[in-house]
Amino acid sequence: MSIISPDSRLRIIVTGLIAQYPLGGVAWDYLQYLLGLSSLGHEVYYFEDTGQWPYNPHEGGVSAGCEYNVQYLSGIMDSFGFSDRWAYKFTWEAQWFGLSEVKRQEIVGTADVLINVSGSLVCPSDYRAVKKLVYIDSDPVFTQVKLARGQQDFRRLIDCHDIHFSFGETLSGIVPSMGYNWIPTRQPVAMGEWENEYSHQGVFTTVMNWSSYKPVTYNGLVYGQKDIELMKFIDLPQLVSPYILELAINAGKVTRTPKDRLVRHGWKLVDPDKVCPDYKAYRSYIMTSMAEWSVAKNGYVQGLSGWFSCRSACYLAAGRPAVLQDTGFSKILPVGDGLLSFTTQEEAVQAIDEVNSNYSRHRVAAREIASAYFDAKLVLARLLNQVFSRVGTSDCSKLD
């Protein structure tokens, strides 16, 4: 039953990290919320207020200013019809770009919903005038472990929201809920942006970070990054030859990516800064791939979280099969055609061979799965109905 009338037009703010990290597929993580909500007929705005100094890939790190980042964000907003619906705050002297101060305050004071994707807002209490503050946990297991480890500043940020969603659709009992009602949700995909007429290059690809941040420990278990999981499959290229497995992989933020060792074991490595430096090239990279093969963060696997990446959903939407390490998603998504899961190296070999043997069937099935399970219209209509069907409580009193 729909709580929101089809004729309802909500004023919605979406937050994110598009300007903060003007790289590859980051923009799609947030842009598809804007596109999906707009397609449902809502009045949608994008706010970026992270409290962080932005990253500039041309400077190789944290930028001294924000000119490049603002220009990147402005270009994306213009391209997708949001030229007058965005605001970006640069932490130096609290400078705002985009919407005027008057318009921005008017929007905050009258908005029906703010969707804080990835918890990117530095201070949600500044937006408490919005009727409903929604938290999207895009990093399940790690989010819950932070809370369990007693990170009170993080808990206060979470508590400032009325409703809490998580990409951890099947969080296991080893992951503490910490008293929160984590409502399952998943990445929305604007299906029209991924209609694919490209021919593929016959290569299984993925885009990945070797290590995004340090492992965390809770109750004697260590929750790590993709580096831990990929090393379990280091011999895979030799086992599936002549099929090619390509990694668009960075140098590693915490531990150095062992590129020479990976190459010796048959992996083809490419630089993501060259093959998919921005949101357009990222989309082209996915569309010209034959399929995806990827592991997940060790924490997602250990916590049996059901996490499923925006990247993999985009492969499916582009009609590219995905062969993915199972995080528990096989319990909630159809696997076998278009989407194939594995837990062992033997299963990974079988899945790659199956995709190559019956590619046409898997290509069609991939797009069908994306349409049925990740279509932004379906995902976000359900999310909004859940927001307005629940009585949420928040506590921003300790954030002032």
Side-chain angles (χ1 to χ4, degrees), residues 53-57 59 61-69 90:
W53 285 76
Y55 175 86
N56 186 330
E59 295 178 6
V62 175
S63 178
C66 66
E67 292 81 3
Y68 174 83
N69 306 78
F90 181 44

Side-chain angles (χ1 to χ4, degrees), residues 22-34:
L23 302 165
V26 173
W28 291 107
D29 292 346
Y30 310 99
L31 179 60
Q32 297 189 107
Y33 278 88
L34 301 175

Side-chain angles (χ1 to χ4, degrees), residues 55 90 124 132 290 306 326-327 346 366 370 394:
Y55 175 86
F90 181 44
K132 294 280 188 179
M290 180 180 182
D326 197 358
T327 63
E346 181 181 5
S394 64

Side-chain angles (χ1 to χ4, degrees), residues 65 69 97 111 165 188 204 229 248 252 282 292 316 319 323 346 351 357 374:
N69 306 78
F97 297 84
F165 290 86
F204 284 71
E229 295 302 325
Y282 177 88
E292 182 181 27
L316 296 176
V323 179
E346 181 181 5
S357 299
F374 294 96

Side-chain angles (χ1 to χ4, degrees), residues 86 97-105:
W86 64 272
F97 297 84
L99 291 169
S100 69
E101 174 75 15
V102 172
K103 184 62 176 178
R104 196 175 65 252
Q105 292 301 325

Side-chain angles (χ1 to χ4, degrees), residues 216-265:
V216 294
T217 303
Y218 176 73
N219 270 358
L221 289 178
V222 177
Y223 299 93
Q225 301 293 302
K226 285 189 176 182
D227 54 343
I228 295 175
E229 295 302 325
L230 186 61
M231 293 306 292
K232 297 176 183 178
F233 300 92
I234 193 169
D235 295 322
L236 186 62
Q238 298 170 342
L239 299 176
V240 299
S241 179
Y243 308 138
I244 299 172
L245 302 183
E246 178 176 290
L247 306 176
I249 190 169
N250 61 24
K253 296 180 181 179
V254 177
T255 58
R256 188 174 181 81
T257 303
K259 293 185 176 181
D260 291 343
R261 184 179 178 188
L262 290 171
V263 170
R264 287 198 303 272
H265 282 265

